Amino acid sequence: MSGKQAEAKAGRNLRSLFVNPVLNKEIMLRMRSLRSMWALFFYLLAIGIGALGFIYINEMDGGGGFNPNTSRTMFMFISIAQLGLIAFMAPGLTAGIVSGERERQTLNLLLTTQQSSTNIIVSKLVASLAFMVLIVLATMPVYSIVFLYGGISPSQLLLVFLFYLFTMVVLGSLGILFSTLFKRTMISVIVSYGVTLFIFGGTAFLYLIVLSIMQNTYGNGQTDYGWIGYIMGLNPVAALYSIFDSEISRSVFMVYRSGGLSGQDAPIQLWQQFLIVYSIVSIGAVLLSIRYIRPILKKKRAGR
């Protein structure tokens, strides 16, 4: 096979991965349903109420009007609130996309088509994430309030939205993995939300527990146990906050307490660790989903 033929074949494979009947069908079903419209409406309503509520509380407390510092605080408040909404919606959108096909007895029909396992998994994941991306982009007018008063740079806004996209991919890939492994959608949804709860709340709680044990054992600042900061690097909220304020990374790694190392930086920023660790997790989840979506092939290989 010549070089041009190989390039043409690679181009066709890549095009079929993102332009195929499964992706078209999933996107049309996802975008045109009445439920999607109401989901978008209530999502924007929640974000809008949060932003207006913040402004109202600030005015009632006599904050002296909006200024860049208040605008920055509002930006962080909206960003963290939106991250919580993403954590609430992403598992629900992906945890039933394979098990739902299995319960409707349409999965076997889908597997008999010419679409490969990779096409099916990637198409369903992309279709689910496309709806989430639409929802997040629809909140841009709310963020425009922040830019009226300054305090936030466009690069920070871009980083936050890229962080959202990455978090969606992580939660979506885990959701589709559990949807592939478990036959019942209910079980898949419960496990997906349980893992999401651990990622968002369990990691922070584990950090506090380990920190308390270390402080009781060695005392404050007597021994370098800053390694526990790696636990907090698994928490999405802490990773997002480190984009706004890099000092949180120095704080959780206890650079200030490590025997006069106050001038040093943290070993790694929390958001950087978050990207590295969960990139591996997402890739592994997608590969496992591709591997186990065809249980018949698995049995045949086991019987050899």
Side-chain angles (χ1 to χ4, degrees):
M1 183 180 294
S2 65
K4 290 185 178 179
Q5 290 176 331
E7 291 179 1
K9 183 178 180 180
R12 286 195 298 271
N13 292 336
L14 183 62
R15 188 166 55 252
S16 65
L17 185 62
F18 295 102
V19 182
N20 58 69
V22 178
L23 180 59
N24 293 337
K25 173 237 179 187
E26 289 292 330
I27 287 184
M28 283 194 293
L29 289 179
R30 185 77 66 182
M31 299 292 184
R32 293 183 178 180
S33 67
L34 189 63
R35 185 176 59 180
S36 299
M37 184 196 72
W38 285 114
L40 179 60
F41 172 77
F42 284 111
Y43 190 92
L44 295 179
L45 182 65
I47 290 291
I49 290 176
L52 294 177
F54 182 89
I55 296 174
Y56 177 76
I57 292 174
N58 181 72
E59 293 296 327
M60 292 299 293
D61 288 344
F66 247 67
N67 53 56
N69 289 332
T70 308
S71 176
R72 178 182 173 82
T73 304
M74 178 180 171
F75 178 76
M76 290 190 291
F77 170 76
I78 297 175
S79 299
I80 294 175
Q82 178 146 265
L83 184 63
L85 289 174
I86 290 173
F88 177 75
M89 294 191 65
L93 290 173
T94 56
I97 54 180
V98 175
S99 58
E101 295 274 3
R102 189 181 290 116
E103 290 178 343
R104 292 191 297 270
Q105 298 183 348
T106 55
L107 180 60
N108 290 335
L109 293 176
L110 184 61
L111 295 178
T112 57
T113 63
Q114 294 181 343
Q115 299 300 317
S116 64
S117 301
T118 303
N119 281 350
I120 295 172
I121 292 296
V122 173
S123 298
K124 287 183 172 294
L125 180 60
V126 169
S128 300
L129 295 183
F131 180 67
M132 285 297 302
V133 171
L134 172 65
I135 287 180
V136 171
L137 291 180
T139 61
M140 288 294 289
V142 179
Y143 282 93
S144 65
I145 300 175
V146 177
F147 281 102
L148 290 176
Y149 300 94
I152 293 296
S153 65
S155 61
Q156 285 181 308
L157 180 64
L158 178 62
L159 281 177
V160 168
F161 274 78
L162 290 177
F163 187 85
Y164 287 156
L165 180 61
F166 180 76
T167 305
M168 292 176 205
V169 173
V170 173
L171 298 179
S173 58
L174 289 175
I176 201 169
L177 171 62
F178 297 132
S179 181
T180 304
L181 295 180
F182 297 104
K183 296 181 179 179
R184 297 293 181 186
T185 300
M186 181 62 68
I187 299 176
S188 173
V189 170
I190 292 173
V191 175
S192 298
Y193 275 108
V195 172
T196 302
L197 181 62
F198 174 78
I199 292 174
F200 276 76
T203 51
F205 182 71
L206 181 62
Y207 171 80
L208 295 176
I209 292 294
V210 176
L211 175 63
S212 177
I213 293 174
M214 290 297 175
Q215 287 178 341
N216 291 332
T217 304
Y218 301 105
N220 290 335
Q222 298 301 317
T223 303
D224 185 8
Y225 45 87
W227 57 266
I228 67 172
Y230 290 106
I231 300 176
M232 189 56 85
L234 303 176
N235 186 277
V237 178
L240 176 63
Y241 191 85
S242 68
I243 296 176
F244 307 133
D245 186 1
S246 60
E247 289 300 312
I248 187 178
S249 300
R250 293 163 57 88
S251 177
V252 298
F253 282 106
M254 294 181 233
V255 175
Y256 299 113
R257 303 180 187 179
S258 307
L261 300 179
S262 59
Q264 291 189 356
D265 293 329
I268 187 173
Q269 292 293 320
L270 294 182
W271 65 270
Q272 293 172 339
Q273 180 195 337
F274 184 84
L275 292 180
I276 294 172
V277 173
Y278 285 102
S279 293
I280 299 173
V281 172
S282 298
I283 293 172
V286 171
L287 292 178
L288 287 175
S289 301
I290 294 171
R291 171 66 179 82
Y292 287 106
I293 195 174
R294 297 179 186 270
I296 297 177
L297 290 180
K298 174 188 172 186
K299 291 179 180 178
K300 285 183 177 179
R301 291 178 182 177
R304 290 178 179 177

